[in-house]
């Protein structure tokens, strides 16, 4: 069994889940995160022995009230991933231990900073999640944003979990590719390694702690 974890894959059918799981195992992954609805469709079916599935629930939120609703809807043992839009939602999500990871995207209008790092420190841990999928299309604007966010996270000491959001096996990233990507941007290559190991592991451990 591998040591890497991809907290977000997005296959469209249960059969595609198994195709991704088989490829993930060959690439060295020990676990992948699945949308809650798809995870439920697999209940009662045999699962690949080499890859563990983590059920995840994702919400885009704009206010503290939205976050409270998301927390109430999350099931025990389920990863709760929040994409905040705006600083107010970002800060609120940073305070709540039940939030497994904060999803950052260009339209989130927020960046890793010391204030968020301090909120994570107060609750004992914290992880931001960043998708690799837009990079597959050669999106230069996204690459600039990706570099800026990862650099800022490294500077202030916030963990970053890299996720593929793969819809099919060919969209999975080999761990060596992630490490090479981070290194090519002039960032420490160990950030790529931690983004597939210690960072997602912290998000998973946080479910139990929250």
């Amino acid at each position: 069994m591998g040591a890497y974890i991809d907290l977000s894959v997005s296959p469209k059918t249960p059969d595609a889940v198994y195709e991704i799981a088989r490829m993930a195992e060959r690439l060295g992954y020990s676990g992948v995160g699945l949308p809650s609805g798809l995870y439920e469709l697999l209940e009662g079916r045999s699962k690949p022995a080499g890859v563990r599935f983590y059920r995840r629930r994702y919400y885009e939120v704009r206010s503290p009230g939205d976050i409270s609703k998301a927390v109430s809807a999350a099931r025990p043992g389920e990863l709760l991933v929040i994409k905040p839009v705006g600083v107010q939602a970002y800060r609120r999500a940073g305070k709540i231990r039940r939030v497994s990871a904060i999803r950052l995207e260009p339209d989130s209008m927020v960046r890793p900073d010391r204030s968020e790092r301090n909120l994570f420190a107060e609750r004992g841990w914290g992880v931001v999640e960043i998708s690799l999928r837009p990079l597959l299309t050669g999106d230069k604007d996204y690459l600039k944003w990706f570099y800026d966010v990862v650099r800022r996270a490294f500077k202030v000491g916030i963990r970053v979990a890299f996720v593929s959001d793969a819809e099919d096996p060919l969209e999975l990233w080999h761990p060596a590719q992630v490490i090479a990507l981070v290194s090519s941007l002039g960032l420490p290559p160990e950030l790529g390694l931690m983004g597939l190991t210690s960072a997602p592991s912290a998000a998973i451990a946080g479910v139990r702690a929250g």
Side-chain angles (χ1 to χ4, degrees):
M1 181 178 291
Y4 305 104
I5 299 172
D6 185 342
L7 284 182
S8 178
V9 297
S10 301
K12 299 303 183 184
T13 66
D15 288 341
V17 171
Y18 292 97
E19 294 175 5
I20 285 180
R22 285 192 289 269
M23 177 62 78
E25 184 178 10
R26 287 198 289 271
L27 294 177
Y29 288 90
S30 62
V32 296
L34 289 178
S36 182
L38 190 55
Y39 184 96
E40 291 168 4
L41 292 177
L42 297 176
E43 291 183 351
R45 298 179 60 169
S46 61
K47 297 179 176 64
V51 175
R52 180 173 179 178
F53 295 147
Y54 297 98
R55 186 173 63 197
R56 60 180 273 140
R57 192 174 293 268
Y58 167 83
Y59 291 95
E60 179 175 314
V61 302
R62 296 178 180 271
S63 70
D66 291 340
I67 297 175
S68 296
K69 292 176 183 177
V71 171
S72 297
R75 296 181 179 182
E78 188 173 58
L79 292 166
L80 176 59
V81 181
I82 295 292
K83 175 192 169 183
V85 179
V87 174
Q88 184 184 32
Y90 185 40
R91 298 295 186 232
R92 178 61 177 165
K95 294 179 180 179
I96 299 176
R97 290 175 62 84
R98 183 61 185 88
V99 175
S100 309
I102 295 177
R103 172 91 166 201
L104 296 185
E105 294 182 358
D107 63 355
S108 298
M109 299 181 291
V110 294
R111 296 286 193 276
D113 58 20
R114 287 185 174 84
S115 294
E116 199 71 9
R117 188 270 317 276
N118 292 339
L119 292 175
F120 285 167
E122 288 175 9
R123 76 179 196 175
W125 65 282
V127 176
V128 298
E129 174 183 288
I130 302 177
S131 177
L132 299 166
R133 194 164 190 264
L135 297 173
L136 297 176
T137 64
D139 187 331
K140 293 182 180 179
D141 289 336
Y142 189 87
L143 179 61
K144 291 178 182 178
W145 174 86
F146 178 93
Y147 166 73
D148 181 58
V149 169
V150 177
R151 179 184 61 81
R152 287 172 183 258
F154 171 64
K155 185 176 180 179
V156 300
I158 290 178
R159 293 188 184 100
V160 177
F162 298 114
V163 300
S164 70
D165 290 331
E167 294 184 2
D168 66 61
L170 296 180
E171 292 181 342
L172 290 169
W173 287 64
H174 192 288
Q177 292 176 307
V178 179
I179 294 169
L181 168 66
V182 171
S183 180
S184 73
L185 296 174
L187 298 167
E190 57 266 28
L191 293 182
L193 177 63
M194 291 187 295
L196 299 175
T197 54
S198 60
S201 293
I204 293 166
V207 174
R208 307 184 187 100

